Amino acid sequence: MPVTITAGDRETSESGTWRVPKRDLITGLLVLLQREEIDICGHLPESETLIKELSNIRIKISLGGHDTYGAWREGQHDDLVLAAALACWRGTKKEPPVIGTRPLF
């Protein structure tokens, strides 16, 4: 399922490609963690890195009201956070992913 991460204010889909605000991805992941609907398995090779990236996420609101989501310092990464957030977001979709005309499951 192709996804473009945007700075927009709403999720859209056109011709099978989704445009999803980074805000929705990050907050969706954080809500699932806070509700304890998902957990980070400590046995995974990158679990410590994911926890570190999550602890570095900051939400900033500009004077004009524009929000940004990402690592709080320059040079910090949020790749694993976005990967986990995309997986959780995909889990909320009802239709199965389709490649060509054949469903994957």
Side-chain angles (χ1 to χ4, degrees), residues 2 12 31 35 41 47 56 60 64 66-67 71 73 75 80 100 102:
T12 60
V31 166
R35 289 182 181 169
C41 177
S47 61
N56 287 329
K60 302 172 193 170
H66 179 73
D67 51 344
R73 279 198 300 194
L80 291 178
R102 213 175 100 218

Side-chain angles (χ1 to χ4, degrees), residues 8-47:
D9 62 349
R10 65 186 174 93
E11 182 179 295
T12 60
S13 175
E14 184 177 322
S15 302
T17 299
W18 289 85
R19 295 177 55 80
V20 182
K22 188 173 185 180
R23 171 195 63 217
D24 292 0
L25 294 171
I26 299 293
T27 58
L29 175 63
L30 294 176
V31 166
L32 290 172
L33 287 165
Q34 289 172 348
R35 289 182 181 169
E36 297 181 355
E37 293 181 34
I38 62 170
D39 194 10
I40 300 168
C41 177
H43 299 293
L44 293 175
E46 297 298 327
S47 61

Side-chain angles (χ1 to χ4, degrees), residues 47-58:
S47 61
E48 288 182 31
T49 305
L50 176 57
I51 291 167
K52 183 178 178 182
E53 285 184 15
L54 280 166
S55 68
N56 287 329
I57 291 292
R58 296 295 182 265

Side-chain angles (χ1 to χ4, degrees), residues 88-105:
C88 291
W89 171 85
R90 175 59 186 100
T92 67
K93 299 296 162 208
K94 302 282 188 235
E95 70 280 350
V98 176
I99 296 177
T101 59
R102 213 175 100 218
L104 293 177
F105 54 85

